[in-house]
Amino acid sequence: MKKILYIHGFASAGSTGTAASLRNLLYEKDVRVISPDVPLSPLAALPYLRQVVADEHPDLIIGTSMGGMYAEQLYGTPRILVNPSFHMARLLTFRGLGNREFLNKRADGATSFKVDKQMIAEFKEIEKGCFSGAKGDEKDLVYGLFGRNDPTVHTQDDFTSHYGKAHFTIFEGEHRLNDHILKTVVAPLAEKILETL
């Protein structure tokens, strides 16, 4: 059985409908999708995700938005970055500080959190590691999927300047994924990658 690690976006959780849809789409292909809650602190999140990779040995990692930024830094495993948000600190600074609600149910029961200067500083620190491993054979492991009408994140140039255009795709969609995009864009690419392993 092949295994996918799905890394959710900001203010979300492992219980996101995106992970559930991927499970349903890939179930008959004998693919297991694991989707943990990413720690809120960026300085805790990346080590946590590296430990998940070490423990679970996923065949493929799929990250969306903030999850795409983290996934990019999980070198050594094939990865699909969907609308990756490589500039979380800037995005959160622009949107302002304050309390936010989680979009999905967290395993620890938390329903809200606070965006503060410390979180933004931690994202700045973590973002320094983006693309540090984008060289040699590593470039062949990374795929970028970008919604043509994404109003939130615009990082196509960041991606192509480090990974080129060989695995770069623009799809008809926005920032958030829906079942149609998962079925016609993300799942087929995941299947194609897994078939080569």
Side-chain angles (χ1 to χ4, degrees), residues 157-177:
D157 290 344
D158 294 292
F159 182 88
T160 56
S161 68
H162 292 91
Y163 287 103
K165 292 192 174 181
H167 294 161
F168 171 79
T169 302
I170 301 260
F171 63 87
E172 294 301 326
E174 297 187 4
H175 188 67
R176 291 178 190 245
L177 299 179

Side-chain angles (χ1 to χ4, degrees), residues 4 22-31 33 187 190-191:
I4 291 174
L22 283 172
R23 283 187 193 99
N24 291 335
L25 289 166
L26 298 170
Y27 176 77
E28 291 186 5
K29 303 290 183 179
D30 203 28
V31 176
V33 177
E191 289 178 42

Side-chain angles (χ1 to χ4, degrees), residues 5-195:
L5 168 61
Y6 174 74
I7 307 175
H8 63 75
F10 187 70
S12 191
S15 64
T16 175
T18 302
S21 293
L22 283 172
R23 283 187 193 99
N24 291 335
L25 289 166
L26 298 170
Y27 176 77
E28 291 186 5
K29 303 290 183 179
D30 203 28
V31 176
R32 179 177 168 225
V33 177
I34 58 173
S35 179
D37 287 355
V38 176
L40 200 55
S41 161
L43 292 181
L46 200 52
Y48 169 79
L49 290 168
R50 286 181 173 139
Q51 190 61 54
V52 171
V53 171
D55 293 343
E56 297 286 348
H57 305 287
D59 300 285
L60 174 65
I61 299 169
I62 301 175
T64 54
S65 193
M66 176 194 74
M69 182 269 294
Y70 286 135
E72 190 277 329
Q73 297 185 55
L74 298 174
Y75 302 114
T77 301
R79 304 179 301 288
I80 300 174
L81 316 181
V82 187
N83 294 323
S85 185
F86 297 126
H87 307 289
M88 286 296 300
R90 187 170 66 198
L91 185 65
L92 292 178
T93 299
F94 176 75
R95 290 189 171 182
L97 306 178
N99 293 320
R100 307 280 177 87
E101 299 291 319
F102 282 112
L103 302 172
N104 301 100
K105 185 177 181 181
R106 302 276 293 190
D108 64 3
T111 58
S112 64
F113 64 98
K114 187 174 184 178
V115 174
D116 56 19
K117 290 181 180 179
Q118 179 179 337
M119 178 184 285
I120 291 172
E122 288 188 17
F123 271 119
K124 282 182 182 176
E125 186 63 30
I126 289 298
E127 288 164 13
K128 291 177 184 176
C130 286
F131 312 116
S132 62
K135 53 191 94 156
D137 293 342
E138 188 68 31
K139 291 187 176 185
D140 295 331
L141 298 178
V142 181
Y143 297 75
L145 300 178
F146 296 85
R148 186 181 304 280
N149 302 309
D150 186 343
T152 307
V153 173
H154 308 282
T155 59
Q156 295 93 329
D157 290 344
D158 294 292
F159 182 88
T160 56
S161 68
H162 292 91
Y163 287 103
K165 292 192 174 181
H167 294 161
F168 171 79
T169 302
I170 301 260
F171 63 87
E172 294 301 326
E174 297 187 4
H175 188 67
R176 291 178 190 245
L177 299 179
N178 57 37
D179 285 344
H180 174 73
I181 294 167
L182 287 168
K183 184 176 183 179
T184 61
V185 180
V186 181
L189 177 57
E191 289 178 42
K192 179 182 176 182
I193 294 168
L194 292 173
E195 284 171 1

